[in-house]
Amino acid sequence: MGYDLITMGRIGVDLYPLQTGVPLPQVTSFGKFLGGSATNVAVAASRLGRRTAVITRTGDDPFGAYLHEALQGFGVDDRWVTPVPGLPTPVTFCEVFPPDDFPLYFYRQPKAPDLEIDAHELDLDAIRGASVFWVTGTGLSEEPSRTATLAALAHRAKSGTTVFDLDWRPMFWKDPDAARPFYEEALRHTTVAVGNLDEVEVATGVREPREAARALLDAGVELAVVKQGPKGVLAVDSKGNEAEVPPLPVNVLNGLGAGDAFGGSLVHGLLEGWDLEKIMSHANAAGAIVASRLECSSAMPTTDEIERAIAAGAVL
């Protein structure tokens, strides 16, 4: 049986403070969670009943062992999660200042193992056979991950649904100004592009949501999803269909995992064949639910939780 979803990209350990509104120097206790955007998307889709796997790499250390245990616990296949000797498993700290300030501190030195994914080690048949394949912009930031990401996309050749999460993190790029050509190359091989206003501007040079969506479609994708923050999300496809869905009201505790929950639900909706309005409504609700919780991976909602939030018109 093939996979509903294979993701490729970041993994790490999230160490989140158990006190909110407290600067990091004064925090006294932390929770330890599975993290990394592509990994969290696989977890989110698994929580919705999808068969998922992730392609990534960890350190050969106790934190790497923890990540394998966590993936298995969430039902995500970890067969393509391999150790890199000599590099530590990444750790990410954040500060939690609700409702909209969540500074992140990435510890990925001297280099993150997930940037050591090598094209020669990829199971290209599995990648091509998955119903959905998901890659991220971070995977383009350094070699050999850049070549591996583009090789996987080229081999897949737009079979099924291929999602490019624009995932712009300028601190991961040695020269952020050099990113756009690699983003453009990735877009040539993908059917769905997902990003916020900053990310679509990096990819296309355009920030206005509808113009950015049109630029993404012109770049070769079939569906452009533009997250607009407080204005909600805009989705436009190559057939001229459009949906603009406002955010679901929520008391935000930690907004960091919302985009990954959105991604997992987006995958689920695409696989279900829902119309754009329903896909975006469910994805928005999934994101809002996670924003109401401290952690990311273990906070991913079930189908029943998403449907209850939609029915209530808010995350209660």
Side-chain angles (χ1 to χ4, degrees), residues 160-212:
T161 298
T162 305
V163 184
F164 181 23
D165 176 3
L166 302 179
D167 183 41
W168 174 240
R169 305 280 183 176
M171 72 285 290
F172 294 165
W173 291 76
K174 294 176 182 176
D175 180 7
D177 293 335
R180 185 170 297 163
F182 300 114
Y183 272 64
E184 291 172 348
E185 176 65 16
L187 287 169
R188 288 181 52 240
H189 300 290
T190 53
T191 61
V192 181
V194 184
N196 61 31
L197 295 178
D198 291 337
E199 291 166 338
V200 298
E201 185 174 19
V202 168
T204 67
V206 180
R207 189 173 182 87
E208 195 283 323
R210 279 178 173 75
E211 290 182 11

Coordinates of all heavy atoms in Angstrom, one line a residue, residues 160-212:
G160 N 0.3 12.9 -9.1 CA -0.5 13.1 -7.9 C -0.5 14.6 -7.5 O -0.5 15.5 -8.4
T161 N -0.5 14.9 -6.2 CA -0.5 16.2 -5.7 C 0.9 16.5 -5.1 O 1.3 15.7 -4.2 CB -1.6 16.4 -4.6 OG1 -2.9 16.2 -5.2 CG2 -1.5 17.8 -4.0
T162 N 1.5 17.5 -5.5 CA 2.9 17.9 -5.0 C 2.8 19.3 -4.4 O 2.5 20.2 -5.1 CB 3.9 17.8 -6.1 OG1 3.9 16.5 -6.8 CG2 5.3 18.1 -5.6
V163 N 3.0 19.4 -3.1 CA 2.9 20.6 -2.4 C 4.2 21.3 -2.1 O 5.1 20.6 -1.5 CB 2.1 20.4 -1.1 CG1 1.8 21.8 -0.4 CG2 0.7 19.7 -1.4
F164 N 4.4 22.5 -2.4 CA 5.5 23.3 -2.0 C 5.1 24.3 -0.9 O 4.4 25.2 -1.2 CB 6.1 24.0 -3.2 CG 7.3 24.8 -2.9 CD1 8.2 24.6 -1.8 CD2 7.7 25.9 -3.8 CE1 9.3 25.4 -1.6 CE2 8.8 26.6 -3.6 CZ 9.6 26.4 -2.5
D165 N 5.5 24.0 0.3 CA 5.3 24.9 1.5 C 6.5 25.9 1.4 O 7.6 25.6 1.6 CB 5.4 24.1 2.8 CG 5.3 25.0 4.0 OD1 5.1 26.2 3.9 OD2 5.4 24.4 5.1
L166 N 6.2 27.2 1.1 CA 7.2 28.2 0.8 C 8.1 28.4 2.0 O 9.3 28.7 1.9 CB 6.5 29.5 0.4 CG 5.7 29.3 -0.9 CD1 5.0 30.7 -1.2 CD2 6.4 28.8 -2.1
D167 N 7.6 28.3 3.3 CA 8.4 28.1 4.5 C 9.6 29.0 4.5 O 10.8 28.5 4.5 CB 8.7 26.6 4.6 CG 9.5 26.3 5.9 OD1 9.2 26.8 6.9 OD2 10.5 25.5 5.8
W168 N 9.5 30.3 4.4 CA 10.6 31.2 4.4 C 11.2 31.5 5.7 O 10.6 32.0 6.6 CB 10.2 32.5 3.7 CG 11.3 33.6 3.7 CD1 11.2 34.8 4.2 CD2 12.5 33.5 3.0 NE1 12.3 35.5 4.0 CE2 13.2 34.7 3.3 CE3 13.2 32.5 2.3 CZ2 14.5 35.0 2.8 CZ3 14.4 32.8 1.8 CH2 15.1 34.0 2.0
R169 N 12.5 31.1 5.9 CA 13.2 31.3 7.2 C 14.5 31.9 6.8 O 15.5 31.2 6.5 CB 13.4 30.0 7.9 CG 12.2 29.2 8.2 CD 11.4 29.7 9.4 NE 10.3 28.9 9.7 CZ 9.5 29.1 10.8 NH1 9.7 30.1 11.6 NH2 8.4 28.4 11.0
P170 N 14.6 33.3 6.7 CA 15.8 33.9 6.2 C 17.1 33.5 7.0 O 18.2 33.5 6.4 CB 15.5 35.4 6.3 CG 14.4 35.5 7.2 CD 13.6 34.3 7.1
M171 N 16.9 33.2 8.3 CA 18.1 32.9 9.1 C 18.8 31.5 8.6 O 19.9 31.3 9.0 CB 17.8 32.8 10.6 CG 16.9 31.6 11.0 SD 15.2 31.8 10.5 CE 14.6 33.1 11.6
F172 N 18.1 30.7 7.9 CA 18.6 29.5 7.4 C 19.4 29.6 6.1 O 20.0 28.6 5.6 CB 17.5 28.4 7.2 CG 16.8 28.0 8.4 CD1 15.6 27.4 8.3 CD2 17.3 28.3 9.7 CE1 14.9 27.0 9.5 CE2 16.6 27.9 10.8 CZ 15.4 27.2 10.7
W173 N 19.4 30.8 5.5 CA 20.1 31.0 4.2 C 21.3 31.8 4.4 O 21.3 32.9 5.1 CB 19.1 31.7 3.3 CG 18.0 30.9 2.8 CD1 16.8 30.6 3.5 CD2 17.8 30.3 1.5 NE1 16.0 29.9 2.7 CE2 16.6 29.6 1.5 CE3 18.7 30.2 0.4 CZ2 16.2 28.9 0.4 CZ3 18.2 29.5 -0.7 CH2 17.0 28.9 -0.7
K174 N 22.4 31.3 3.9 CA 23.7 32.1 3.9 C 23.5 33.4 3.1 O 24.1 34.4 3.5 CB 24.8 31.3 3.4 CG 25.1 30.0 4.2 CD 26.2 29.2 3.6 CE 26.5 27.9 4.5 NZ 27.5 27.0 3.9
D175 N 22.8 33.4 2.0 CA 22.5 34.6 1.2 C 21.0 34.6 0.9 O 20.6 34.0 -0.1 CB 23.3 34.6 0.0 CG 23.1 35.8 -0.9 OD1 22.3 36.7 -0.4 OD2 23.6 35.8 -2.0
P176 N 20.2 35.2 1.8 CA 18.7 35.2 1.5 C 18.3 35.7 0.1 O 17.3 35.3 -0.4 CB 18.2 36.0 2.7 CG 19.2 35.9 3.7 CD 20.5 35.9 3.0
D177 N 19.1 36.6 -0.4 CA 18.8 37.2 -1.7 C 18.9 36.2 -2.8 O 18.4 36.4 -3.9 CB 19.7 38.4 -2.0 CG 19.4 39.6 -1.0 OD1 18.3 39.7 -0.5 OD2 20.3 40.4 -0.8
A178 N 19.6 35.1 -2.6 CA 19.8 34.1 -3.6 C 18.6 33.1 -3.6 O 18.7 32.1 -4.4 CB 21.1 33.4 -3.4
A179 N 17.6 33.2 -2.8 CA 16.6 32.2 -2.7 C 15.7 32.1 -3.9 O 15.3 31.0 -4.2 CB 15.8 32.4 -1.4
R180 N 15.3 33.2 -4.5 CA 14.2 33.2 -5.4 C 14.4 32.2 -6.6 O 13.5 31.5 -7.0 CB 13.9 34.6 -6.0 CG 12.6 34.6 -6.9 CD 12.2 36.0 -7.2 NE 11.8 36.7 -6.0 CZ 11.6 38.0 -5.9 NH1 11.9 38.7 -7.0 NH2 11.2 38.5 -4.8
P181 N 15.6 32.1 -7.2 CA 15.7 31.2 -8.3 C 15.4 29.7 -7.9 O 14.9 29.0 -8.7 CB 17.2 31.3 -8.8 CG 17.6 32.7 -8.3 CD 16.8 32.9 -7.1
F182 N 15.8 29.3 -6.7 CA 15.5 28.0 -6.2 C 14.0 27.8 -6.0 O 13.5 26.7 -6.3 CB 16.4 27.7 -5.0 CG 17.8 27.8 -5.2 CD1 18.6 28.8 -4.6 CD2 18.5 26.9 -6.1 CE1 19.9 28.9 -4.8 CE2 19.8 27.0 -6.4 CZ 20.6 28.0 -5.7
Y183 N 13.4 28.8 -5.5 CA 11.9 28.8 -5.3 C 11.3 28.6 -6.6 O 10.3 27.9 -6.8 CB 11.5 30.0 -4.6 CG 11.5 29.9 -3.1 CD1 12.7 29.8 -2.3 CD2 10.3 30.0 -2.3 CE1 12.7 29.7 -1.0 CE2 10.3 29.9 -0.9 CZ 11.5 29.7 -0.3 OH 11.5 29.6 1.1
E184 N 11.7 29.4 -7.6 CA 11.1 29.3 -8.9 C 11.3 27.9 -9.6 O 10.3 27.4 -10.2 CB 11.7 30.4 -9.9 CG 11.3 31.8 -9.5 CD 12.1 32.9 -10.2 OE1 13.1 32.5 -10.9 OE2 11.7 34.0 -10.2
E185 N 12.4 27.3 -9.4 CA 12.7 26.0 -9.9 C 11.7 25.0 -9.2 O 11.2 24.1 -9.9 CB 14.1 25.6 -9.7 CG 14.5 24.2 -10.1 CD 14.3 23.9 -11.6 OE1 14.2 24.9 -12.4 OE2 14.3 22.7 -12.0
A186 N 11.6 25.1 -7.9 CA 10.7 24.2 -7.2 C 9.2 24.3 -7.7 O 8.5 23.4 -7.8 CB 10.8 24.4 -5.7
L187 N 8.8 25.6 -7.9 CA 7.4 25.8 -8.3 C 7.1 25.2 -9.7 O 6.0 24.8 -9.9 CB 7.2 27.3 -8.4 CG 7.0 28.1 -7.1 CD1 7.0 29.6 -7.3 CD2 5.7 27.6 -6.4
R188 N 8.1 25.0 -10.5 CA 7.9 24.4 -11.8 C 7.5 23.0 -11.7 O 6.8 22.4 -12.6 CB 9.2 24.4 -12.6 CG 9.6 25.8 -13.1 CD 10.9 25.7 -14.0 NE 10.8 24.7 -15.0 CZ 11.6 23.6 -15.1 NH1 12.6 23.4 -14.2 NH2 11.5 22.8 -16.1
H189 N 7.8 22.3 -10.6 CA 7.5 20.9 -10.4 C 6.4 20.6 -9.4 O 6.1 19.5 -9.1 CB 8.8 20.2 -9.8 CG 10.0 20.3 -10.7 ND1 10.1 19.6 -11.9 CD2 11.1 21.0 -10.6 CE1 11.2 19.9 -12.5 NE2 11.9 20.7 -11.7
T190 N 5.7 21.7 -8.9 CA 4.7 21.5 -7.9 C 3.3 21.8 -8.4 O 3.1 22.6 -9.4 CB 5.0 22.3 -6.7 OG1 5.2 23.6 -7.0 CG2 6.3 21.8 -6.0
T191 N 2.3 21.2 -7.8 CA 0.9 21.5 -8.2 C 0.2 22.4 -7.2 O -0.8 23.1 -7.5 CB 0.1 20.2 -8.3 OG1 0.1 19.5 -7.0 CG2 0.7 19.3 -9.3
V192 N 0.7 22.5 -5.9 CA 0.1 23.4 -4.9 C 1.2 24.1 -4.2 O 2.2 23.6 -3.8 CB -0.7 22.5 -3.9 CG1 -1.3 23.4 -2.8 CG2 -1.7 21.6 -4.5
A193 N 1.0 25.5 -4.1 CA 1.9 26.3 -3.3 C 1.2 26.9 -2.2 O 0.0 27.4 -2.3 CB 2.5 27.4 -4.2
V194 N 1.8 26.9 -1.0 CA 1.2 27.4 0.2 C 2.2 28.4 0.9 O 3.4 28.0 1.1 CB 0.9 26.3 1.2 CG1 0.2 26.8 2.5 CG2 0.1 25.2 0.6
G195 N 1.7 29.6 1.3 CA 2.6 30.5 2.0 C 1.9 31.7 2.5 O 0.8 32.0 2.0
N196 N 2.5 32.4 3.4 CA 1.9 33.7 3.9 C 2.4 34.8 3.0 O 3.1 34.6 2.0 CB 2.3 33.9 5.4 CG 3.8 33.9 5.7 OD1 4.6 34.4 4.8 ND2 4.2 33.5 6.8
L197 N 2.1 36.0 3.4 CA 2.4 37.1 2.5 C 3.9 37.3 2.3 O 4.3 37.6 1.2 CB 1.7 38.4 3.1 CG 0.2 38.4 3.1 CD1 -0.3 39.7 3.7 CD2 -0.4 38.2 1.7
D198 N 4.6 37.2 3.4 CA 6.1 37.3 3.3 C 6.6 36.2 2.4 O 7.5 36.5 1.5 CB 6.8 37.2 4.7 CG 6.5 38.4 5.6 OD1 6.2 39.5 5.0 OD2 6.6 38.3 6.8
E199 N 6.1 35.0 2.5 CA 6.7 33.9 1.7 C 6.3 34.0 0.3 O 7.2 33.7 -0.6 CB 6.1 32.6 2.3 CG 6.7 32.3 3.7 CD 6.0 31.3 4.5 OE1 4.8 31.0 4.2 OE2 6.6 30.7 5.4
V200 N 5.1 34.4 -0.1 CA 4.7 34.5 -1.5 C 5.5 35.7 -2.1 O 5.9 35.6 -3.3 CB 3.2 34.7 -1.7 CG1 2.5 33.5 -1.2 CG2 2.7 36.0 -1.1
E201 N 5.9 36.7 -1.3 CA 6.7 37.8 -1.9 C 8.1 37.3 -2.2 O 8.7 37.7 -3.2 CB 6.7 39.0 -0.9 CG 7.4 40.2 -1.5 CD 7.4 41.4 -0.5 OE1 7.1 41.2 0.7 OE2 7.6 42.5 -1.0
V202 N 8.7 36.5 -1.4 CA 10.0 35.9 -1.6 C 9.9 35.1 -2.9 O 10.8 35.1 -3.8 CB 10.5 35.0 -0.5 CG1 11.7 34.2 -0.9 CG2 10.8 35.9 0.7
A203 N 8.9 34.3 -3.1 CA 8.8 33.4 -4.2 C 8.5 34.1 -5.5 O 8.9 33.7 -6.6 CB 7.7 32.3 -3.9
T204 N 7.7 35.2 -5.5 CA 7.2 35.8 -6.7 C 7.5 37.3 -6.9 O 7.4 37.8 -8.0 CB 5.6 35.7 -6.7 OG1 5.1 36.5 -5.7 CG2 5.2 34.3 -6.5
G205 N 7.9 37.9 -5.8 CA 8.2 39.4 -5.9 C 6.9 40.2 -5.7 O 6.9 41.4 -5.8
V206 N 5.8 39.5 -5.4 CA 4.5 40.2 -5.3 C 3.9 39.9 -4.0 O 4.0 38.8 -3.5 CB 3.5 39.6 -6.4 CG1 2.1 40.3 -6.3 CG2 4.1 39.8 -7.8
R207 N 3.3 40.9 -3.4 CA 2.8 40.8 -2.0 C 1.2 40.9 -1.9 O 0.6 40.2 -1.1 CB 3.4 41.9 -1.1 CG 3.0 41.7 0.4 CD 3.8 42.6 1.3 NE 3.5 42.4 2.7 CZ 4.1 41.5 3.4 NH1 5.1 40.8 2.9 NH2 3.8 41.4 4.7
E208 N 0.6 41.6 -2.8 CA -0.8 41.7 -2.8 C -1.4 40.3 -3.1 O -1.0 39.6 -4.0 CB -1.3 42.6 -3.9 CG -2.8 43.1 -3.8 CD -3.8 42.0 -4.2 OE1 -3.5 41.3 -5.2 OE2 -4.8 41.9 -3.6
P209 N -2.3 39.8 -2.2 CA -2.7 38.4 -2.2 C -3.2 37.9 -3.5 O -2.7 36.8 -4.0 CB -3.8 38.3 -1.1 CG -3.5 39.5 -0.2 CD -2.9 40.5 -1.1
R210 N -4.1 38.6 -4.2 CA -4.6 38.0 -5.5 C -3.5 38.1 -6.6 O -3.4 37.1 -7.4 CB -5.9 38.7 -5.9 CG -7.1 38.2 -5.2 CD -8.4 38.9 -5.5 NE -9.5 38.2 -4.9 CZ -9.8 38.2 -3.6 NH1 -9.0 39.0 -2.8 NH2 -10.8 37.6 -3.1
E211 N -2.8 39.1 -6.6 CA -1.7 39.2 -7.6 C -0.6 38.1 -7.3 O -0.1 37.5 -8.2 CB -1.0 40.5 -7.5 CG -1.9 41.7 -8.1 CD -1.2 43.0 -8.0 OE1 0.1 43.0 -7.8 OE2 -1.8 44.0 -8.3
A212 N -0.4 37.8 -6.0 CA 0.6 36.8 -5.6 C 0.1 35.4 -6.0 O 0.8 34.6 -6.6 CB 0.9 36.8 -4.1

